[in-house]
């Protein structure tokens, strides 16, 4: 065996050659999903541009250093590479591969071609941004965000709807549902689109109440369906596998059905009677305790919850709550959001 210090430049060239290939292959795999799975022109263009930037550095001298038969690593395969339990896992593995390859190019590039090393550092930051954009939109990525959202704002119609939601986002909110039971469809569509963009800017999830068609039209992260809305399986068929579907439940039977139908999360309520949903009897804290003991999926206590009674809801076992008036009617939505988040143990 030749010691690498005997021929360091050839070895470095082999490392650069292999990692330029590795990074581009990983990008191509991600690009195919952006193009054919998501139909997303801008993510597809970003992957392609990254690949083309890398191609510029893959010069003939690096290719000439390749020695595949003499490479002891070609037979080494980790079992994790043979198993991809989900699309999310496949994309994540390839994004990690690209990031690792870029880091290798950056480090070894410093020894031989510093300009390429500096360029690869910038490309790595772009891949991180791609990662968060893309994984934020897979089912795994969306569910990860949902689990990390202790507070869920369900909106009500308001002349200052967008500024209120933005104020709440500034207070740390990361999950929003557009709920409007009375507006005409063109208004709903327009508001849903604006809210969706706003939420994206703050890296928050955006769901639409009741309306699968509007959720799809604005490319929302999901939909919330009540007991009177369409079956979850049908919504899944329309929305595809990556979006979140929530279901309202008021008692253990409804919870059980929501679970067997494949809900991603459930609403648990109304905890207290509320004018926002007038006429619906309270399910009470007993049902919150039941959910705490039995729900295997994320669940949000909802109905009449405010800063005053939140402590009781938390004491009954809730770690995630949904509110309408406590934010929509607050004098200062940013501070109201922060106060609720602090009580939920997630304040700034
Ligand atoms: C998080 C959350 N939970 C429950 C509901 C209520 O949904 P639904 O029973 O369909 O009633 P409407 O909101 O459509 O009046 C919800 N929207 N969000
Ligand atoms: C929209 C909604 N759904 C409920 C349910 O129990 O399913 S309670 C509710 C209204 C919650 O509004 P507020 O926070 O203003 O009381
Ligand atoms: Mg509904």
């Amino acid at each position: 065996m030749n010691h690498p210090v005997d021929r360091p430049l050839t070895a470095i060239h082999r490392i650069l050659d292999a990692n330029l290939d590795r990074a581009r292959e990983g990008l191509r795999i991600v690009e195919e999903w952006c193009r054919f799975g998501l139909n997303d022109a801008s993510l597809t263009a970003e992957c392609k541009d990254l690949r083309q930037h890398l191609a510029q550095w893959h010069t003939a001298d690096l290719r000439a250093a390749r020695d595949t038969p003499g490479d002891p690593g070609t037979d080494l395969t980790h079992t994790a590479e043979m198993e991809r339990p989900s699309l999310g896992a496949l994309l994540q593995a390839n994004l990690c591969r690209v990031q690792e390859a870029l880091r290798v190019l950056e480090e070894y590039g410093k020894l031989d071609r510093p300009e390429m090393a500096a360029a690869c550092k910038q490309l790595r930051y772009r891949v991180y941004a791609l990662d968060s954009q893309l994984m934020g939109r897979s089912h795994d990525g969306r569910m990860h965000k949902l689990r990390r959202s202790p507070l869920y704002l369900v909106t009500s119609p308001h002349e200052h709807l967008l500024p209120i939601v933005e104020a709440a986002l500034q207070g740390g909110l990361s999950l929003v549902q557009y709920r409007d039971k009375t507006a005409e469809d063109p208004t709903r569509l327009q508001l849903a689109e604006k809210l969706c963009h706003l939420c994206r800017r703050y890296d928050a999830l955006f769901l639409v109440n009741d309306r699968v068609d509007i959720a799809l039209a604005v490319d929302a992260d999901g939909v919330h369906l009540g007991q009177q809305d369409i079956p979850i399986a049908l919504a899944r068929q329309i929305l595809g596998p990556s979006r979140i579907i929530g279901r309202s439940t008021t008692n253990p039977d409804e919870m059980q059905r929501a679970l067997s139908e494949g809900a991603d999360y459930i609403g648990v309520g109304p905890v207290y009677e509320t004018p926002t949903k007038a006429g619906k009897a309270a399910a009470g804290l007993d049902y919150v305790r039941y959910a705490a003991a039995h729900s295997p999926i994320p669940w949000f206590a909802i109905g009449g919850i405010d800063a005053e009674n939140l402590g009781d809801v938390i004491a009954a076992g809730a770690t995630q709550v949904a509110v309408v008036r406590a934010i929509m009617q607050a004098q200062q939505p940013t501070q109201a959001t922060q106060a609720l988040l602090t009580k939920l143990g997630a304040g700034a």
Side-chain angles (χ1 to χ4, degrees):
M1 186 182 77
N2 289 327
H3 195 278
V5 291
D6 297 339
R7 48 189 180 101
L9 198 58
T10 309
I12 289 166
H13 285 184
R14 285 177 71 194
I15 292 169
L16 298 181
D17 171 59
N19 282 280
L20 281 161
D21 270 347
R22 189 170 292 146
R24 283 158 69 204
E25 285 163 11
L27 280 166
R28 173 61 93 164
I29 290 165
V30 173
E31 184 179 327
E32 297 301 72
W33 180 250
C34 295
R35 181 174 169 192
F36 298 111
L38 299 176
N39 292 318
D40 189 312
S42 109
L43 288 178
T44 307
E46 176 64 354
C47 291
K48 191 170 178 187
D49 192 59
L50 286 162
R51 278 195 302 108
Q52 284 172 345
H53 263 85
L54 283 167
Q56 287 170 21
W57 297 106
H58 213 163
T59 47
D61 56 336
L62 295 184
R63 288 180 196 283
R66 189 172 305 178
D67 175 16
T68 309
D71 178 356
T74 50
D75 291 337
L76 303 177
T77 308
H78 195 275
T79 45
E81 284 177 38
M82 309 299 286
E83 293 162 12
R84 299 289 186 225
S86 65
L87 176 66
L90 180 150
L91 292 171
Q92 193 62 77
N94 280 284
L95 284 160
C96 286
R97 196 167 152 220
V98 177
Q99 288 157 14
E100 282 170 12
L102 286 170
R103 176 62 100 168
V104 173
L105 290 167
E106 186 185 330
E107 290 300 318
Y108 284 93
K110 285 175 194 165
L111 298 171
D112 185 47
R113 42 199 80 193
E115 265 180 56
M116 187 195 81
C120 286
K121 182 175 183 177
Q122 295 311 315
L123 294 179
R124 186 160 52 81
Y125 291 135
R126 279 173 62 184
V127 174
Y128 289 146
L130 176 69
D131 188 341
S132 77
Q133 267 183 290
L134 187 61
M135 294 317 292
R137 294 169 72 176
S138 70
H139 190 259
D140 288 352
R142 284 172 164 141
M143 286 305 292
H144 180 70
K145 268 194 206 169
L146 181 121
R147 281 190 214 95
R148 292 168 59 111
S149 299
L151 184 61
Y152 189 175
L153 170 61
V154 178
T155 67
S156 54
H158 197 292
E159 62 172 321
H160 302 302
L161 175 62
L162 283 145
I164 291 173
V165 174
E166 180 153 19
L169 291 166
Q170 283 165 351
L173 182 75
S174 52
L175 177 56
V176 175
Q177 178 191 130
Y178 170 54
R179 177 179 183 267
D180 188 337
K181 310 293 283 187
T182 55
E184 302 282 342
D185 274 2
T187 307
R188 281 189 179 147
L189 198 55
Q190 211 178 40
L191 286 173
E193 195 152 33
K194 287 187 177 158
L195 283 170
C196 191
H197 281 133
L198 181 61
C199 288
R200 290 250 189 282
R201 276 212 283 124
Y202 284 84
D203 199 24
L205 290 172
F206 175 70
L207 279 74
V208 176
N209 185 44
D210 295 341
R211 296 290 296 269
V212 173
D213 54 345
I214 294 179
L216 195 61
V218 304
D219 196 16
D221 294 297
V223 72
H224 184 90
L225 301 172
Q227 293 291 321
Q228 312 305 326
D229 298 315
I230 66 167
I232 292 174
L234 181 57
R236 184 79 71 205
Q237 210 177 313
I238 298 167
L239 291 174
S242 66
R243 291 193 174 83
I244 292 173
I245 302 178
R247 178 71 108 195
S248 314
T249 70
T250 298
N251 56 54
D253 282 351
E254 287 179 359
M255 177 190 290
Q256 203 43 56
R257 219 172 316 124
L259 293 175
S260 61
E261 288 175 2
D264 290 311
Y265 76 86
I266 50 172
V268 165
V271 181
Y272 305 105
E273 278 187 18
T274 165
T276 312
K277 206 145 171 64
K280 194 163 181 188
L285 288 170
D286 278 348
Y287 184 44
V288 174
R289 281 187 274 272
Y290 181 89
H294 294 98
S295 179
I297 60 173
W299 56 279
F300 293 83
I302 183 169
I305 298 172
D306 57 27
E308 296 267 290
N309 59 28
L310 179 56
D312 296 336
V313 183
I314 293 170
T319 55
Q320 295 182 286
V321 303
V323 300
V324 179
R325 288 165 306 147
I327 292 177
M328 290 305 299
Q329 292 181 15
Q331 294 291 327
Q332 295 179 308
T334 303
Q335 286 80 346
T337 302
Q338 286 167 337
L340 292 167
L341 283 171
T342 300
K343 288 207 163 115
L344 284 158

